Amino acid sequence: MTNEDYILKNREKDVRSLALGRMPEGVDLSWCLRQIEGWQLARKKLPRWAATEGLWYPPRLSMEQCSSEATAEYKRLSPAPTQDEGVLIDLTGGFGVDFSYMARRFGKAIYVEQQKVLCDAARHNFPLLGLDNAEVIEGTAEELLTNTDSLFFSNHYSMIYLDPARRDDAGRKVFAIEDCTPDLTQIQDTLLEHADCVMAKLSPMLDITQALRSLHCVTDVHVVSVRGECKELLFIMRRESDAPGITYHCVNLETNDEPFVWMKDEGMKDEGLLHLASTEDIREGTLLLEPNASILKAGMQDAYAMKNGMKKLHPQSNLFVCNSDVAAEVPARTFRIVAMHDFSKQSLKSLQRNVRQANLTIRNFSSTVADLRKRLKIKEGGNVYLFATTLADGSHALLQCEKK
C-alpha cells in the first residue's frame, strides 16, 4: 500500500485510533497521520484547500496558526489595490494561506519562510493551487533585510506582507510588537523604503492605540472578526500618503454585518454629536444595540453611534438605543426592549413573576453574572434577554429584551 492509498482510505478516521493500529507495509505512518490530521483541520478551516487533492499539510502547530480561508480571502480583496504587474513579497510565509490568496493579485509573488518543512510544502502546493507566479525562498526576514546583496533589495514591491511570529524562544505566546519575530518596529523604515505598501498582521490582543505609537506611516487599520470573534488586526503602512487621518475598517466576516468604515478625525472632536439616552428614550419598543466585536476593538463605538444618530446609555457603556430605521443598517447585536426594571424590591418581584428563564448580560454594572443570577433566581436560557447596566443618570437598570 502506498502513502497516498493509506491517506485516502483513512482520512475520515480518528487519527489517535490510527496511530495505535497496525502499520501497513510500505507506509510512512508518521507522514500519513500528519496528512490525515491536516486534511481534517483544513476541511473546516480551509475548505477550498481540502478540496484540492494532493496537497501536503504541515505539523499541527502550523495548521493551528495559519489564517482561515475567510480572513485570507479578505486580505486578497480589501486592504490595498494593486496592479497585475506588481510584485508581492511575504516575509513570514508560514503555511502560505495568506500568500496563496494575495498572490493572485500580483504579476510576481515571493514567499519567504525559514522552516524547511513549510518551504517544501509550499513548493509542492503552490502549483496545485494554480500559483504559477510564486517563488519560494528559504530563509528569514532578518537575513534578507541585513544583506544588501539579497533578493529583497533587487525589487521594488507593490506590497510587503508579514505576520510576525507571536511566540518567544520558550514557546510562550507574546502580543507586543517588540516581542514578536521579526520586530516590526526595527525594520519598518527599511520596508517602507522598498514598497508602495506594507501590510502587517498582528495579534487581536494588541492595544491598537499603543501599536500606532510604535508604527510609522499607518494609513489604515483593519479589525477583522469572524462570526463575532475578533481574529486579527491588519495595519496598512504607506510612506507616500496624503490621507488626513487613519481610516478604520471594522468587519465581521461570515455574517450579514456591513463593514463599518470611519476616518479617525471625522467628527470625533465634536463631543456634542454624541448624545446620552434619557430614561424617556428607553421605553417599550425601543431598540437596544451592542456594536460587534470589531467596532468595540477599534474603539469606534462612539463614532458608530454618531454616524447613525444613536444615543448611548452611559459614557462608559457600549450599549445604544435607536429607532428601527437605523438598526436595519448597522452592524450590531440588536434587541427590542420589552420593559425596563429598576432594582427596587417591587420591580424585581414583578420581574421574577413574569420571567423564569433568561439570558443575562452584564455591561458597565458592578456585579457578576453568577451573583446577579443568584439574586434574581432566574434560570439560564430561553428567549428573554436581560441586560444589567448603568444609565446616564447613574442609576442601575435591568433591560428586559427580545432578540430582533
Side-chain angles (χ1 to χ4, degrees), residues 229-278:
E229 181 181 356
C230 188
K231 292 292 188 180
E232 57 191 43
L233 305 177
L234 301 176
F235 289 78
I236 309 300
M237 305 158 68
R238 297 181 178 90
R239 185 176 294 279
E240 301 296 332
S241 174
D242 57 1
I246 297 173
T247 300
Y248 288 78
H249 308 254
C250 304
V251 298
N252 190 19
L253 304 178
E254 298 184 357
T255 72
N256 293 324
D257 286 1
E258 290 293 326
F260 178 73
V261 181
W262 187 265
M263 182 169 284
K264 180 70 172 182
D265 292 332
E266 190 178 321
M268 292 294 288
K269 295 180 180 179
D270 189 351
E271 297 178 359
L273 293 177
L274 178 62
H275 298 287
L276 297 178
S278 66

Side-chain angles (χ1 to χ4, degrees), residues 95-131:
F95 186 34
V97 176
D98 285 333
F99 175 86
S100 73
Y101 278 81
M102 292 189 295
R104 301 179 190 281
R105 297 170 52 194
F106 298 85
K108 180 180 179 182
I110 303 168
Y111 162 102
V112 180
E113 170 56 47
Q114 62 179 323
Q115 296 186 55
K116 184 179 186 303
V117 65
L118 296 177
C119 289
D120 290 344
R123 292 188 183 97
H124 175 82
N125 291 342
F126 290 161
L128 295 177
L129 294 167
L131 297 177

